[in-house]
Amino acid sequence: MQTSRPEEPSIGDLFGRLADDAKTYVRAEADLYKAIALHRVGAARNGAIALVAAVLLLNAALVTLVVSFALGLAPVVGPVLGGLIVFAAVAVISFFLVLYGAGRLKLLGGSEEERKVLAGEKKP
């Protein structure tokens, strides 16, 4: 009596099944990371809204402070000159902040030391 063995799948069938399993695995991993990202965005959304509201309120407070300085100087030097003095002071502070910020943004391209390290040079 001859026993029949079940037909074994061919190499092509095995590789086809492997490719299908790999696609399924990659889709599941992508869905997992997408779900994690959506969860994190949802959790951080209220925090971002609170930070934007805080920045807007701080801006209003700074405007009030600058106007108060100008009004405080008005009885001493007059309203126009008081406004000009406060404007000049705020403009100088803003100028230095812009210089500092622009210098820090240049670091996005990497510092000189970082470029030397990446180029394989030794530090002096």
Side-chain angles (χ1 to χ4, degrees):
M1 176 173 206
Q2 188 178 23
T3 60
S4 63
R5 290 189 332 182
E7 189 175 319
E8 292 185 16
S10 69
I11 296 288
D13 291 338
L14 290 175
F15 277 117
R17 200 175 330 158
L18 177 65
D20 290 340
D21 289 346
K23 287 178 190 176
T24 303
Y25 176 76
V26 168
R27 283 190 189 113
E29 283 291 315
D31 289 343
L32 173 66
Y33 287 120
K34 181 180 175 183
I36 289 171
L38 289 174
H39 173 72
R40 288 179 181 174
V41 166
R45 182 186 61 210
N46 290 339
I49 291 170
L51 288 175
V52 168
V55 166
L56 292 175
L57 287 173
L58 182 61
N59 185 41
L62 287 174
V63 168
T64 303
L65 181 65
V66 169
V67 169
S68 298
F69 283 150
L71 290 175
L73 285 174
V76 178
V77 294
V80 174
L81 189 57
L84 288 175
I85 291 171
V86 171
F87 169 77
V90 171
V92 168
I93 292 169
S94 298
F95 175 74
F96 285 114
L97 285 173
V98 166
L99 288 180
Y100 173 76
R104 299 305 288 180
L105 285 177
K106 285 182 182 178
L107 294 177
L108 287 173
S111 65
E112 186 64 32
E113 182 179 319
E114 182 182 347
R115 281 186 284 255
K116 286 180 182 179
V117 169
L118 290 175
E121 299 176 14
K122 293 185 179 179
K123 286 195 333 186

